[in-house]
Amino acid sequence: WDETHFGKMGSYYINQTFFFDVHPPLGKMLIGLAGYLTGYDGTFPFKKPGDKYDHHHYYGMRALCATLGSFLVPFAYLIVLELSGSLTAALLAAVLLIFDTGCITISQYILLDPILMFFILGAVLSMLKFNAVKDRPFSLTWWKWLMLTGVNLAGALGVKFVGIFVILLVGINTACDLWQLLGAVHVSLFLG
């Protein structure tokens, strides 16, 4: 299980021990922070899958992943509702995720995947909400969704490099918006 790797790396952060990993550090830092805040002291060796945790307080690290994984259901509901406008389709998407045993399983262990999926779906949702308010530029809501899109994009790339693909999605969406603005003759190129 990867739980032995990422739990161990969370312990390294708690103990301030240098290590190298192929993934960016944000996900492992969040796992380490969750463990630290819930009383885990970083002493469990995480040598092989199936080892008993005994008296070690690892629950916070698993709780972080489970909590972020549970956000996927409302994110999927809101994304499908925003894209389709169909309550039935949005409910179906949410129900499918609720009963997806792969999503349930992956969210209960100390893994990077639920953290990554949280940031990816958060970025897509933020982008769609931003698109919904693009007719009100520089309003408070416009800034809120723009900032949340950026934070979620940074989070996705900070957990795993595969987060670059959601950045590509938002970049293509932005390029399409700019292309439409370029062709809009009613929009002035000058202020005033």
Side-chain angles (χ1 to χ4, degrees), residues 9-76:
M9 292 171 193
S11 295
Y12 288 157
Y13 276 110
I14 291 170
N15 295 322
Q16 300 176 357
T17 304
F18 176 78
F19 69 97
F20 177 78
D21 183 45
V22 296
H23 300 298
L26 181 62
K28 297 176 294 277
M29 291 172 83
L30 290 173
I31 289 169
L33 178 64
Y36 177 77
L37 292 176
T38 56
Y40 174 64
D41 59 4
T43 58
F44 186 73
F46 287 101
K47 289 192 182 213
K48 63 182 179 15
D51 282 348
K52 301 292 181 208
Y53 290 106
D54 297 324
H55 63 280
H56 297 278
H57 300 284
Y58 66 95
Y59 302 110
M61 296 186 289
R62 279 192 177 174
L64 169 76
C65 295
T67 301
L68 295 180
S70 68
F71 276 101
L72 302 180
V73 174
F75 281 1

Short mmCIF file of all heavy atoms in Angstrom, two decimals, residues 9-76:
data_model
loop_
_atom_site.label_atom_id
_atom_site.label_comp_id
_atom_site.label_asym_id
_atom_site.label_seq_id
_atom_site.Cartn_x
_atom_site.Cartn_y
_atom_site.Cartn_z
N MET A 9 6.29 9.59 5.03
CA MET A 9 6.73 10.93 4.64
C MET A 9 6.08 12.00 5.50
O MET A 9 6.71 13.02 5.80
CB MET A 9 6.45 11.16 3.15
CG MET A 9 7.33 10.29 2.29
SD MET A 9 6.84 10.36 0.58
CE MET A 9 7.77 8.99 -0.06
N GLY A 10 4.84 11.75 5.93
CA GLY A 10 4.22 12.65 6.90
C GLY A 10 5.01 12.65 8.20
O GLY A 10 5.20 13.70 8.82
N SER A 11 5.48 11.47 8.61
CA SER A 11 6.32 11.37 9.81
C SER A 11 7.63 12.13 9.63
O SER A 11 8.12 12.76 10.57
CB SER A 11 6.62 9.91 10.12
OG SER A 11 5.46 9.20 10.45
N TYR A 12 8.20 12.05 8.43
CA TYR A 12 9.44 12.78 8.17
C TYR A 12 9.24 14.28 8.36
O TYR A 12 10.09 14.97 8.92
CB TYR A 12 9.95 12.52 6.75
CG TYR A 12 10.51 11.14 6.52
CD1 TYR A 12 10.56 10.61 5.24
CD2 TYR A 12 11.01 10.37 7.56
CE1 TYR A 12 11.09 9.36 5.00
CE2 TYR A 12 11.54 9.11 7.33
CZ TYR A 12 11.57 8.61 6.04
OH TYR A 12 12.10 7.37 5.80
N TYR A 13 8.10 14.80 7.89
CA TYR A 13 7.83 16.23 8.08
C TYR A 13 7.67 16.58 9.56
O TYR A 13 8.15 17.60 10.02
CB TYR A 13 6.60 16.67 7.29
CG TYR A 13 6.91 17.00 5.86
CD1 TYR A 13 6.48 16.18 4.84
CD2 TYR A 13 7.66 18.12 5.54
CE1 TYR A 13 6.78 16.48 3.52
CE2 TYR A 13 7.97 18.43 4.23
CZ TYR A 13 7.52 17.60 3.22
OH TYR A 13 7.84 17.89 1.92
N ILE A 14 6.97 15.71 10.29
CA ILE A 14 6.79 15.95 11.73
C ILE A 14 8.13 15.97 12.45
O ILE A 14 8.38 16.80 13.32
CB ILE A 14 5.84 14.90 12.33
CG1 ILE A 14 4.41 15.12 11.80
CG2 ILE A 14 5.85 14.96 13.86
CD1 ILE A 14 3.44 14.01 12.15
N ASN A 15 9.02 15.04 12.06
CA ASN A 15 10.33 14.93 12.71
C ASN A 15 11.40 15.82 12.08
O ASN A 15 12.55 15.76 12.48
CB ASN A 15 10.80 13.47 12.67
CG ASN A 15 9.91 12.58 13.49
OD1 ASN A 15 9.44 12.96 14.55
ND2 ASN A 15 9.64 11.38 12.98
N GLN A 16 11.02 16.61 11.09
CA GLN A 16 11.94 17.50 10.39
C GLN A 16 13.15 16.74 9.84
O GLN A 16 14.30 17.16 9.98
CB GLN A 16 12.38 18.65 11.30
CG GLN A 16 11.22 19.48 11.77
CD GLN A 16 11.63 20.56 12.75
OE1 GLN A 16 12.78 20.68 13.14
NE2 GLN A 16 10.66 21.36 13.15
N THR A 17 12.85 15.61 9.18
CA THR A 17 13.88 14.77 8.59
C THR A 17 13.89 14.97 7.08
O THR A 17 12.85 14.92 6.44
CB THR A 17 13.59 13.28 8.91
OG1 THR A 17 13.49 13.11 10.31
CG2 THR A 17 14.67 12.38 8.35
N PHE A 18 15.06 15.20 6.52
CA PHE A 18 15.17 15.39 5.07
C PHE A 18 14.89 14.08 4.35
O PHE A 18 15.32 13.01 4.76
CB PHE A 18 16.57 15.89 4.69
CG PHE A 18 16.75 16.00 3.21
CD1 PHE A 18 16.21 17.07 2.52
CD2 PHE A 18 17.40 15.01 2.50
CE1 PHE A 18 16.34 17.17 1.14
CE2 PHE A 18 17.54 15.09 1.12
CZ PHE A 18 17.01 16.17 0.44
N PHE A 19 14.16 14.17 3.23
CA PHE A 19 13.94 13.03 2.35
C PHE A 19 13.66 13.56 0.95
O PHE A 19 13.39 14.74 0.76
CB PHE A 19 12.78 12.16 2.84
CG PHE A 19 11.43 12.81 2.72
CD1 PHE A 19 10.61 12.56 1.63
CD2 PHE A 19 10.98 13.70 3.68
CE1 PHE A 19 9.38 13.16 1.51
CE2 PHE A 19 9.75 14.31 3.58
CZ PHE A 19 8.95 14.05 2.48
N PHE A 20 13.71 12.69 -0.03
CA PHE A 20 13.40 13.06 -1.40
C PHE A 20 12.29 12.17 -1.91
O PHE A 20 12.28 10.97 -1.66
CB PHE A 20 14.64 12.92 -2.30
CG PHE A 20 14.33 13.22 -3.74
CD1 PHE A 20 14.21 14.54 -4.17
CD2 PHE A 20 14.13 12.20 -4.65
CE1 PHE A 20 13.90 14.82 -5.49
CE2 PHE A 20 13.82 12.48 -5.96
CZ PHE A 20 13.71 13.79 -6.39
N ASP A 21 11.37 12.78 -2.64
CA ASP A 21 10.28 12.02 -3.25
C ASP A 21 10.00 12.63 -4.61
O ASP A 21 10.26 13.82 -4.84
CB ASP A 21 9.03 12.08 -2.36
CG ASP A 21 7.90 11.24 -2.91
OD1 ASP A 21 8.17 10.09 -3.33
OD2 ASP A 21 6.76 11.72 -2.94
N VAL A 22 9.44 11.83 -5.51
CA VAL A 22 9.17 12.32 -6.86
C VAL A 22 7.99 13.28 -6.92
O VAL A 22 7.86 14.04 -7.87
CB VAL A 22 8.93 11.14 -7.84
CG1 VAL A 22 10.17 10.29 -7.97
CG2 VAL A 22 7.75 10.30 -7.41
N HIS A 23 7.11 13.25 -5.93
CA HIS A 23 5.94 14.11 -5.93
C HIS A 23 6.24 15.44 -5.24
O HIS A 23 7.05 15.49 -4.32
CB HIS A 23 4.77 13.44 -5.21
CG HIS A 23 4.35 12.14 -5.83
ND1 HIS A 23 3.86 12.05 -7.12
CD2 HIS A 23 4.33 10.88 -5.34
CE1 HIS A 23 3.58 10.79 -7.39
NE2 HIS A 23 3.86 10.06 -6.33
N PRO A 24 5.54 16.50 -5.65
CA PRO A 24 5.67 17.77 -4.92
C PRO A 24 5.25 17.60 -3.47
O PRO A 24 4.55 16.65 -3.12
CB PRO A 24 4.73 18.71 -5.68
CG PRO A 24 4.51 18.08 -7.00
CD PRO A 24 4.64 16.61 -6.80
N PRO A 25 5.62 18.51 -2.59
CA PRO A 25 5.48 18.28 -1.15
C PRO A 25 4.12 18.59 -0.52
O PRO A 25 3.87 18.15 0.60
CB PRO A 25 6.54 19.21 -0.55
CG PRO A 25 6.63 20.32 -1.53
CD PRO A 25 6.43 19.69 -2.87
N LEU A 26 3.22 19.33 -1.17
CA LEU A 26 2.04 19.82 -0.48
C LEU A 26 1.19 18.73 0.16
O LEU A 26 0.79 18.84 1.32
CB LEU A 26 1.17 20.67 -1.42
CG LEU A 26 -0.09 21.26 -0.77
CD1 LEU A 26 0.26 22.21 0.37
CD2 LEU A 26 -0.95 21.95 -1.81
N GLY A 27 0.89 17.67 -0.57
CA GLY A 27 0.05 16.60 -0.03
C GLY A 27 0.66 15.95 1.20
O GLY A 27 -0.02 15.74 2.22
N LYS A 28 1.94 15.67 1.15
CA LYS A 28 2.62 15.03 2.29
C LYS A 28 2.73 16.00 3.47
O LYS A 28 2.66 15.58 4.62
CB LYS A 28 3.98 14.53 1.85
CG LYS A 28 3.89 13.45 0.77
CD LYS A 28 5.23 13.02 0.26
CE LYS A 28 5.96 14.09 -0.47
NZ LYS A 28 5.65 14.31 -1.86
N MET A 29 2.88 17.28 3.15
CA MET A 29 2.93 18.28 4.24
C MET A 29 1.57 18.38 4.93
O MET A 29 1.50 18.50 6.17
CB MET A 29 3.34 19.64 3.69
CG MET A 29 4.79 19.69 3.24
SD MET A 29 5.18 21.22 2.39
CE MET A 29 5.51 22.25 3.81
N LEU A 30 0.49 18.33 4.16
CA LEU A 30 -0.85 18.36 4.75
C LEU A 30 -1.10 17.12 5.60
O LEU A 30 -1.71 17.19 6.67
CB LEU A 30 -1.92 18.48 3.66
CG LEU A 30 -1.99 19.82 2.95
CD1 LEU A 30 -2.97 19.76 1.78
CD2 LEU A 30 -2.38 20.93 3.92
N ILE A 31 -0.64 15.96 5.12
CA ILE A 31 -0.77 14.72 5.90
C ILE A 31 0.01 14.84 7.20
O ILE A 31 -0.48 14.50 8.28
CB ILE A 31 -0.30 13.51 5.06
CG1 ILE A 31 -1.31 13.22 3.95
CG2 ILE A 31 -0.09 12.29 5.94
CD1 ILE A 31 -0.82 12.23 2.91
N GLY A 32 1.24 15.33 7.12
CA GLY A 32 2.05 15.52 8.32
C GLY A 32 1.42 16.52 9.28
O GLY A 32 1.40 16.30 10.50
N LEU A 33 0.88 17.61 8.76
CA LEU A 33 0.22 18.61 9.60
C LEU A 33 -1.00 18.03 10.30
O LEU A 33 -1.21 18.26 11.49
CB LEU A 33 -0.18 19.83 8.76
CG LEU A 33 -0.92 20.93 9.51
CD1 LEU A 33 -0.03 21.56 10.58
CD2 LEU A 33 -1.42 21.99 8.53
N ALA A 34 -1.80 17.26 9.56
CA ALA A 34 -2.98 16.64 10.17
C ALA A 34 -2.57 15.69 11.29
O ALA A 34 -3.20 15.65 12.35
CB ALA A 34 -3.80 15.89 9.12
N GLY A 35 -1.51 14.91 11.06
CA GLY A 35 -1.02 14.02 12.11
C GLY A 35 -0.52 14.78 13.31
O GLY A 35 -0.83 14.45 14.46
N TYR A 36 0.25 15.82 13.07
CA TYR A 36 0.79 16.65 14.16
C TYR A 36 -0.32 17.29 14.99
O TYR A 36 -0.28 17.28 16.22
CB TYR A 36 1.72 17.71 13.57
CG TYR A 36 2.28 18.66 14.59
CD1 TYR A 36 3.32 18.27 15.43
CD2 TYR A 36 1.76 19.94 14.72
CE1 TYR A 36 3.84 19.14 16.38
CE2 TYR A 36 2.27 20.82 15.66
CZ TYR A 36 3.30 20.42 16.49
OH TYR A 36 3.81 21.28 17.43
N LEU A 37 -1.33 17.86 14.31
CA LEU A 37 -2.42 18.54 15.02
C LEU A 37 -3.30 17.59 15.82
O LEU A 37 -3.99 18.02 16.74
CB LEU A 37 -3.28 19.33 14.03
CG LEU A 37 -2.61 20.53 13.38
CD1 LEU A 37 -3.53 21.17 12.35
CD2 LEU A 37 -2.17 21.56 14.42
N THR A 38 -3.29 16.31 15.46
CA THR A 38 -4.12 15.34 16.19
C THR A 38 -3.31 14.47 17.14
O THR A 38 -3.81 13.45 17.62
CB THR A 38 -4.90 14.46 15.20
OG1 THR A 38 -3.97 13.81 14.31
CG2 THR A 38 -5.90 15.28 14.41
N GLY A 39 -2.07 14.85 17.41
CA GLY A 39 -1.30 14.17 18.44
C GLY A 39 -0.38 13.07 17.97
O GLY A 39 0.25 12.39 18.79
N TYR A 40 -0.23 12.87 16.68
CA TYR A 40 0.71 11.87 16.18
C TYR A 40 2.13 12.41 16.32
O TYR A 40 2.41 13.54 15.91
CB TYR A 40 0.39 11.50 14.73
CG TYR A 40 1.40 10.58 14.11
CD1 TYR A 40 1.60 9.30 14.59
CD2 TYR A 40 2.16 11.00 13.02
CE1 TYR A 40 2.54 8.46 14.02
CE2 TYR A 40 3.09 10.17 12.44
CZ TYR A 40 3.28 8.90 12.94
OH TYR A 40 4.21 8.07 12.37
N ASP A 41 3.02 11.61 16.88
CA ASP A 41 4.37 12.10 17.17
C ASP A 41 5.42 11.73 16.11
O ASP A 41 6.60 12.04 16.25
CB ASP A 41 4.83 11.60 18.54
CG ASP A 41 4.83 10.08 18.65
OD1 ASP A 41 4.55 9.40 17.64
OD2 ASP A 41 5.12 9.58 19.75
N GLY A 42 5.02 11.03 15.05
CA GLY A 42 5.94 10.71 13.98
C GLY A 42 6.86 9.55 14.27
O GLY A 42 7.89 9.41 13.62
N THR A 43 6.52 8.69 15.23
CA THR A 43 7.42 7.60 15.61
C THR A 43 7.06 6.26 14.98
O THR A 43 7.86 5.33 15.06
CB THR A 43 7.44 7.43 17.14
OG1 THR A 43 6.11 7.17 17.60
CG2 THR A 43 8.02 8.66 17.82
N PHE A 44 5.90 6.13 14.36
CA PHE A 44 5.56 4.85 13.74
C PHE A 44 6.42 4.64 12.50
O PHE A 44 6.56 5.55 11.68
CB PHE A 44 4.07 4.81 13.37
CG PHE A 44 3.63 3.47 12.88
CD1 PHE A 44 3.47 2.41 13.76
CD2 PHE A 44 3.38 3.26 11.53
CE1 PHE A 44 3.07 1.16 13.30
CE2 PHE A 44 2.99 2.03 11.07
CZ PHE A 44 2.83 0.97 11.96
N PRO A 45 7.03 3.46 12.33
CA PRO A 45 8.01 3.27 11.25
C PRO A 45 7.42 3.11 9.84
O PRO A 45 8.12 3.32 8.87
CB PRO A 45 8.76 2.00 11.66
CG PRO A 45 7.81 1.27 12.53
CD PRO A 45 6.99 2.31 13.24
N PHE A 46 6.16 2.73 9.71
CA PHE A 46 5.53 2.51 8.40
C PHE A 46 6.42 1.63 7.53
O PHE A 46 6.75 1.98 6.40
CB PHE A 46 5.24 3.84 7.68
CG PHE A 46 4.10 4.62 8.26
CD1 PHE A 46 4.34 5.69 9.10
CD2 PHE A 46 2.79 4.28 7.97
CE1 PHE A 46 3.30 6.43 9.63
CE2 PHE A 46 1.73 5.01 8.49
CZ PHE A 46 1.99 6.09 9.33
N LYS A 47 6.82 0.45 8.06
CA LYS A 47 7.74 -0.42 7.33
C LYS A 47 7.06 -1.24 6.24
O LYS A 47 7.54 -1.34 5.14
CB LYS A 47 8.49 -1.33 8.29
CG LYS A 47 9.49 -0.59 9.12
CD LYS A 47 10.42 -1.51 9.84
CE LYS A 47 11.32 -0.63 10.67
NZ LYS A 47 12.62 -1.08 10.85
N LYS A 48 5.92 -1.86 6.59
CA LYS A 48 5.24 -2.68 5.59
C LYS A 48 3.74 -2.58 5.75
O LYS A 48 3.24 -2.29 6.84
CB LYS A 48 5.71 -4.13 5.67
CG LYS A 48 5.41 -4.86 6.94
CD LYS A 48 5.99 -6.27 6.87
CE LYS A 48 5.83 -7.17 8.03
NZ LYS A 48 4.97 -7.00 9.07
N PRO A 49 3.02 -2.80 4.66
CA PRO A 49 1.55 -2.74 4.75
C PRO A 49 1.01 -3.78 5.73
O PRO A 49 1.54 -4.88 5.83
CB PRO A 49 1.09 -3.07 3.32
CG PRO A 49 2.27 -2.79 2.47
CD PRO A 49 3.48 -3.05 3.31
N GLY A 50 0.02 -3.40 6.46
CA GLY A 50 -0.61 -4.32 7.40
C GLY A 50 -0.07 -4.25 8.82
O GLY A 50 -0.60 -4.93 9.71
N ASP A 51 1.00 -3.49 9.04
CA ASP A 51 1.51 -3.34 10.40
C ASP A 51 0.44 -2.71 11.28
O ASP A 51 -0.30 -1.83 10.86
CB ASP A 51 2.76 -2.44 10.42
CG ASP A 51 4.00 -3.17 9.95
OD1 ASP A 51 3.96 -4.40 9.85
OD2 ASP A 51 5.00 -2.48 9.69
N LYS A 52 0.37 -3.16 12.52
CA LYS A 52 -0.59 -2.60 13.47
C LYS A 52 -0.06 -1.28 14.00
O LYS A 52 1.11 -1.15 14.33
CB LYS A 52 -0.82 -3.57 14.64
CG LYS A 52 -1.34 -4.93 14.22
CD LYS A 52 -2.74 -4.82 13.69
CE LYS A 52 -3.26 -6.20 13.31
NZ LYS A 52 -4.23 -6.17 12.27
N TYR A 53 -0.96 -0.30 14.08
CA TYR A 53 -0.57 1.03 14.55
C TYR A 53 -0.47 1.09 16.07
O TYR A 53 0.11 2.01 16.61
CB TYR A 53 -1.56 2.09 14.06
CG TYR A 53 -1.47 2.33 12.58
CD1 TYR A 53 -2.45 1.86 11.72
CD2 TYR A 53 -0.42 3.04 12.04
CE1 TYR A 53 -2.37 2.09 10.36
CE2 TYR A 53 -0.33 3.27 10.68
CZ TYR A 53 -1.31 2.79 9.85
OH TYR A 53 -1.24 3.02 8.51
N ASP A 54 -1.05 0.12 16.75
CA ASP A 54 -1.04 0.04 18.21
C ASP A 54 -1.47 1.36 18.85
O ASP A 54 -2.57 1.80 18.64
CB ASP A 54 0.35 -0.40 18.73
CG ASP A 54 0.71 -1.81 18.26
OD1 ASP A 54 -0.21 -2.64 18.19
OD2 ASP A 54 1.90 -2.05 18.00
N HIS A 55 -0.60 1.99 19.61
CA HIS A 55 -0.96 3.19 20.37
C HIS A 55 -0.70 4.49 19.61
O HIS A 55 -0.87 5.56 20.15
CB HIS A 55 -0.19 3.20 21.70
CG HIS A 55 1.29 3.29 21.51
ND1 HIS A 55 2.04 2.19 21.18
CD2 HIS A 55 2.14 4.34 21.56
CE1 HIS A 55 3.32 2.56 21.06
NE2 HIS A 55 3.40 3.86 21.29
N HIS A 56 -0.29 4.42 18.37
CA HIS A 56 0.03 5.62 17.59
C HIS A 56 -1.26 6.30 17.11
O HIS A 56 -2.19 5.65 16.68
CB HIS A 56 0.92 5.28 16.40
CG HIS A 56 2.25 4.75 16.80
ND1 HIS A 56 3.29 5.57 17.17
CD2 HIS A 56 2.71 3.48 16.92
CE1 HIS A 56 4.34 4.83 17.48
NE2 HIS A 56 4.01 3.56 17.34
N HIS A 57 -1.27 7.61 17.16
CA HIS A 57 -2.45 8.39 16.78
C HIS A 57 -2.38 8.77 15.31
O HIS A 57 -2.08 9.91 14.97
CB HIS A 57 -2.55 9.67 17.64
CG HIS A 57 -2.67 9.40 19.10
ND1 HIS A 57 -3.83 8.97 19.67
CD2 HIS A 57 -1.77 9.49 20.10
CE1 HIS A 57 -3.65 8.80 20.97
NE2 HIS A 57 -2.40 9.11 21.26
N TYR A 58 -2.66 7.83 14.46
CA TYR A 58 -2.61 8.05 13.01
C TYR A 58 -3.95 8.54 12.46
O TYR A 58 -4.05 8.88 11.29
CB TYR A 58 -2.22 6.76 12.29
CG TYR A 58 -3.27 5.68 12.42
CD1 TYR A 58 -4.22 5.50 11.42
CD2 TYR A 58 -3.33 4.87 13.54
CE1 TYR A 58 -5.20 4.54 11.54
CE2 TYR A 58 -4.29 3.92 13.67
CZ TYR A 58 -5.23 3.74 12.67
OH TYR A 58 -6.20 2.80 12.79
N TYR A 59 -4.97 8.59 13.28
CA TYR A 59 -6.33 8.88 12.81
C TYR A 59 -6.45 10.23 12.10
O TYR A 59 -7.22 10.37 11.16
CB TYR A 59 -7.33 8.83 13.98
CG TYR A 59 -7.35 7.52 14.69
CD1 TYR A 59 -6.85 7.40 15.99
CD2 TYR A 59 -7.84 6.38 14.07
CE1 TYR A 59 -6.85 6.18 16.64
CE2 TYR A 59 -7.85 5.16 14.71
CZ TYR A 59 -7.35 5.05 16.00
OH TYR A 59 -7.36 3.86 16.64
N GLY A 60 -5.72 11.22 12.56
CA GLY A 60 -5.79 12.54 11.95
C GLY A 60 -5.36 12.52 10.49
O GLY A 60 -5.95 13.22 9.65
N MET A 61 -4.35 11.73 10.17
CA MET A 61 -3.87 11.65 8.80
C MET A 61 -4.92 10.99 7.91
O MET A 61 -5.16 11.45 6.79
CB MET A 61 -2.54 10.90 8.74
CG MET A 61 -1.43 11.64 9.49
SD MET A 61 0.19 10.89 9.32
CE MET A 61 0.01 9.41 10.29
N ARG A 62 -5.55 9.95 8.41
CA ARG A 62 -6.62 9.31 7.64
C ARG A 62 -7.86 10.20 7.59
O ARG A 62 -8.56 10.24 6.58
CB ARG A 62 -6.98 7.96 8.25
CG ARG A 62 -6.04 6.86 7.86
CD ARG A 62 -6.59 5.51 8.25
NE ARG A 62 -5.73 4.44 7.81
CZ ARG A 62 -5.92 3.17 8.13
NH1 ARG A 62 -6.95 2.83 8.89
NH2 ARG A 62 -5.10 2.25 7.69
N ALA A 63 -8.12 10.92 8.67
CA ALA A 63 -9.30 11.80 8.70
C ALA A 63 -9.17 12.93 7.68
O ALA A 63 -10.16 13.32 7.05
CB ALA A 63 -9.50 12.37 10.10
N LEU A 64 -7.96 13.46 7.50
CA LEU A 64 -7.76 14.49 6.48
C LEU A 64 -8.14 13.95 5.11
O LEU A 64 -8.90 14.59 4.38
CB LEU A 64 -6.30 14.96 6.46
CG LEU A 64 -5.94 15.84 5.27
CD1 LEU A 64 -6.50 17.25 5.46
CD2 LEU A 64 -4.46 15.86 5.03
N CYS A 65 -7.63 12.79 4.76
CA CYS A 65 -7.92 12.21 3.45
C CYS A 65 -9.40 11.89 3.30
O CYS A 65 -9.99 12.14 2.25
CB CYS A 65 -7.07 10.96 3.23
SG CYS A 65 -5.30 11.32 3.15
N ALA A 66 -10.01 11.35 4.35
CA ALA A 66 -11.44 11.03 4.29
C ALA A 66 -12.29 12.30 4.18
O ALA A 66 -13.28 12.34 3.43
CB ALA A 66 -11.85 10.24 5.52
N THR A 67 -11.91 13.34 4.88
CA THR A 67 -12.66 14.61 4.82
C THR A 67 -12.57 15.23 3.44
O THR A 67 -13.60 15.62 2.86
CB THR A 67 -12.13 15.59 5.88
OG1 THR A 67 -12.27 14.99 7.17
CG2 THR A 67 -12.90 16.89 5.85
N LEU A 68 -11.36 15.30 2.90
CA LEU A 68 -11.21 15.88 1.56
C LEU A 68 -11.88 15.00 0.52
O LEU A 68 -12.47 15.51 -0.44
CB LEU A 68 -9.73 16.09 1.23
CG LEU A 68 -9.01 17.13 2.10
CD1 LEU A 68 -7.55 17.27 1.68
CD2 LEU A 68 -9.70 18.47 2.05
N GLY A 69 -11.83 13.69 0.70
CA GLY A 69 -12.53 12.78 -0.21
C GLY A 69 -14.04 12.93 -0.14
O GLY A 69 -14.73 12.77 -1.15
N SER A 70 -14.57 13.27 1.01
CA SER A 70 -16.02 13.44 1.13
C SER A 70 -16.51 14.70 0.42
O SER A 70 -17.68 14.80 0.06
CB SER A 70 -16.43 13.47 2.61
OG SER A 70 -15.97 14.63 3.24
N PHE A 71 -15.62 15.67 0.20
CA PHE A 71 -16.00 16.87 -0.54
C PHE A 71 -16.21 16.59 -2.03
O PHE A 71 -16.79 17.42 -2.74
CB PHE A 71 -14.93 17.96 -0.39
CG PHE A 71 -15.08 18.78 0.85
CD1 PHE A 71 -14.29 18.53 1.96
CD2 PHE A 71 -16.02 19.80 0.93
CE1 PHE A 71 -14.42 19.28 3.12
CE2 PHE A 71 -16.16 20.55 2.08
CZ PHE A 71 -15.36 20.29 3.18
N LEU A 72 -15.74 15.46 -2.52
CA LEU A 72 -15.87 15.15 -3.94
C LEU A 72 -17.33 15.03 -4.36
O LEU A 72 -17.69 15.40 -5.48
CB LEU A 72 -15.11 13.87 -4.28
CG LEU A 72 -13.62 13.87 -3.96
CD1 LEU A 72 -12.99 12.54 -4.35
CD2 LEU A 72 -12.91 15.03 -4.63
N VAL A 73 -18.17 14.53 -3.48
CA VAL A 73 -19.59 14.36 -3.81
C VAL A 73 -20.28 15.70 -4.05
O VAL A 73 -20.87 15.90 -5.11
CB VAL A 73 -20.31 13.52 -2.72
CG1 VAL A 73 -21.81 13.46 -2.98
CG2 VAL A 73 -19.72 12.12 -2.65
N PRO A 74 -20.22 16.66 -3.11
CA PRO A 74 -20.85 17.95 -3.42
C PRO A 74 -20.18 18.69 -4.56
O PRO A 74 -20.85 19.39 -5.33
CB PRO A 74 -20.76 18.74 -2.11
CG PRO A 74 -19.77 18.03 -1.27
CD PRO A 74 -19.73 16.62 -1.73
N PHE A 75 -18.86 18.53 -4.71
CA PHE A 75 -18.18 19.17 -5.84
C PHE A 75 -18.71 18.62 -7.17
O PHE A 75 -19.00 19.38 -8.09
CB PHE A 75 -16.67 18.95 -5.77
CG PHE A 75 -15.94 19.84 -4.79
CD1 PHE A 75 -16.61 20.76 -4.01
CD2 PHE A 75 -14.57 19.74 -4.65
CE1 PHE A 75 -15.93 21.58 -3.11
CE2 PHE A 75 -13.88 20.55 -3.76
CZ PHE A 75 -14.57 21.47 -2.99
N ALA A 76 -18.84 17.29 -7.26
CA ALA A 76 -19.35 16.68 -8.49
C ALA A 76 -20.79 17.13 -8.75
O ALA A 76 -21.15 17.45 -9.90
CB ALA A 76 -19.29 15.16 -8.39
#
